[in-house]
Amino acid sequence: MSVSAAHLERAMGYPPGTLDKAARIFDSGAGYSQLKVPSKRVRFRRVMRPTTALDAMLKLLRQCLERELSFSPQDCVHGCVKKRGILSNARVHLGQKVVLRLDIRRFFESISLQQVKSALQAGGLDEDSALLLGRCTTLDGHLPVGFSTSPFLANLVFDPTDSVLRSFASEHSLNYTRYVDDLTFSGNYIDDEIRIQIESLIEAHGWTIQNKKTRFMRAGHAQYVTGLSVNDPSGPHIPRHVKRFLRLEIHHVAVSGFAASSLGKRKLLGHINNVKHVNPDLGSELHAALKATGLLTGRREGEDEGLEEYFDDELFWEELGVSDEF
């Protein structure tokens, strides 16, 4: 039996017609603001922020879709999936002779309303409801960066491509994972011919590769997957220069306050929490050092502050002043 928009509204605890009203608000160009986030690689990134009420509705909608649709992200998908993340993604590629990384250009924005509608139908929604939900979760006909529904829907739309790439990797004795728009292959042997075949499969499914971010990383040289070093077969590690940078940031804060941090309070805490996720001892050490400055206030002294819904490894490296790890 297909899932209807009315069923989702009841599950969300909203009155009938709520989703249609939200769709009409977004169709009119209202209900959100546009943030311009500075970036070193481009002048800025556009992030769409819904109003408080609409953001709450979208979060509930995402949770309902996760429960109600007949869709589970494949094992190769580690971004925006419960109990998976940057650590599980990196573990797949430990101690490999070669790691190949590719990046999908403008991942969210390249996904159209029609693709969202088709994917929702394939997941179990009836056609009218799939179109309505597509209108609720897209802006100007595309998935926006900043909506809490976008990562889930992107995984849903990319699922057929994941299947093809996973099969290709298996046929060539390779490992494959995807973290949002970051695709990683690893194994004993990957050459340009295999890379070209992979790129052809991706492009055949309508995606565009950001060629300047394609990286071959071979054993004996630094290998990074979602911001973590994977050279050591025993486990992923926080790179040394990241440790040094964060310790220096904490020193600046201790001397001159958070205004002296190049990251700012929230992002510094967020990066420390990401470190704690990978290396609890190091993360606790950094947090204790920051707490010792006497400048942390609020719930649990900032231990949960700054955590993001998904980890943007490109932005992570940019903010840490590292530009050559891609």
Side-chain angles (χ1 to χ4, degrees):
M1 181 181 295
S2 59
V3 178
S4 68
H7 172 80
L8 291 173
E9 286 172 334
R10 288 193 296 271
M12 294 162 62
Y14 283 102
T18 297
L19 291 173
D20 179 68
K21 181 178 180 180
R24 286 187 282 109
I25 290 172
F26 288 139
D27 285 346
S28 71
Y32 66 94
S33 57
Q34 178 177 284
L35 304 179
K36 293 183 178 180
V37 180
S39 171
K40 291 183 179 179
R41 295 179 182 273
V42 293
R43 289 184 61 188
F44 54 81
R45 297 180 179 194
R46 289 186 174 88
V47 177
M48 306 304 176
R49 176 175 290 174
T51 62
T52 301
L54 288 171
D55 185 47
M57 185 211 73
L58 289 172
K59 288 176 179 175
L60 283 173
L61 177 59
R62 184 199 67 218
Q63 293 167 8
C64 285
L65 290 173
E66 289 173 344
R67 290 195 306 267
E68 302 290 340
L69 292 190
S70 57
F71 167 71
S72 295
Q74 300 180 51
D75 291 343
C76 58
V77 181
H78 293 262
C80 317
V81 180
K82 290 180 180 178
K83 298 184 179 180
R84 303 180 204 171
I86 61 171
L87 190 56
S88 62
N89 186 60
R91 280 181 180 143
V92 176
H93 305 286
L94 292 172
Q96 299 297 311
K97 289 185 177 179
V98 60
V99 177
L100 170 66
R101 171 182 167 171
L102 304 105
D103 189 272
I104 303 297
R105 184 176 181 273
R106 296 177 63 82
F107 183 54
F108 290 145
E109 300 97 317
S110 68
I111 297 174
S112 68
L113 168 59
Q114 182 57 46
Q115 287 175 293
V116 172
K117 174 179 175 290
S118 298
L120 287 170
Q121 281 186 263
L125 262 68
D126 65 71
E127 184 174 4
D128 289 343
S129 296
L131 176 59
L132 178 58
L133 262 67
R135 290 171 55 212
C136 287
T137 55
T138 60
L139 295 177
D140 297 323
H142 299 276
L143 274 188
V145 176
F147 277 26
S148 59
T149 44
S150 290
F152 172 81
L153 292 172
N155 281 343
L156 183 66
V157 171
F158 203 85
D159 188 60
T161 312
D162 279 325
S163 296
V164 170
L165 296 177
R166 188 179 184 182
S167 296
F168 179 89
S170 178
E171 291 168 6
H172 290 78
S173 301
L174 300 176
N175 306 302
Y176 164 65
T177 63
R178 180 175 62 82
Y179 195 98
V180 192
D181 57 356
D182 188 353
L183 283 60
T184 306
F185 296 82
S186 67
N188 290 326
Y189 182 78
I190 304 176
D191 61 6
D192 280 328
E193 183 177 345
I194 291 177
R195 173 186 59 79
I196 290 169
Q197 291 180 61
I198 292 171
E199 291 176 345
S200 296
L201 289 173
I202 294 170
E203 290 169 349
H205 281 75
W207 309 98
T208 302
I209 295 166
Q210 190 129 307
N211 291 317
K212 66 181 181 180
K213 294 185 182 178
T214 298
R215 292 290 183 271
F216 272 110
M217 295 170 282
R218 303 188 185 280
H221 301 275
Q223 296 175 323
Y224 297 101
V225 174
T226 42
L228 302 177
S229 172
V230 295
N231 293 82
D232 185 351
S234 68
H237 297 288
I238 302 294
R240 291 178 184 175
H241 46 265
V242 173
K243 298 177 189 177
R244 288 195 298 268
F245 177 85
L246 291 175
R247 287 189 174 113
L248 184 61
E249 285 287 291
I250 293 170
H251 172 73
H252 291 325
V253 171
V255 173
S256 305
F258 280 106
S261 168
S262 63
L263 296 176
K265 178 181 177 181
R266 186 174 183 276
K267 288 182 178 179
L268 178 56
L269 283 165
H271 287 313
I272 290 173
N273 282 318
N274 280 324
V275 169
K276 186 180 289 188
H277 177 63
V278 178
N279 185 330
D281 291 340
L282 175 61
S284 296
E285 173 200 322
L286 294 172
H287 185 267
L290 191 59
K291 184 177 179 181
T293 65
L295 298 174
L296 289 183
T297 58
R299 84 189 142 127
R300 296 182 61 190
E301 297 292 349
E303 288 184 35
D304 295 324
E305 190 171 347
L307 288 175
E308 298 297 333
E309 197 155 20
Y310 72 90
F311 177 84
D312 185 333
D313 63 322
E314 178 187 357
L315 193 57
F316 176 81
W317 286 112
E318 285 186 2
E319 289 172 342
L320 298 188
V322 180
S323 60
D324 297 324
E325 309 306 337
F326 295 94

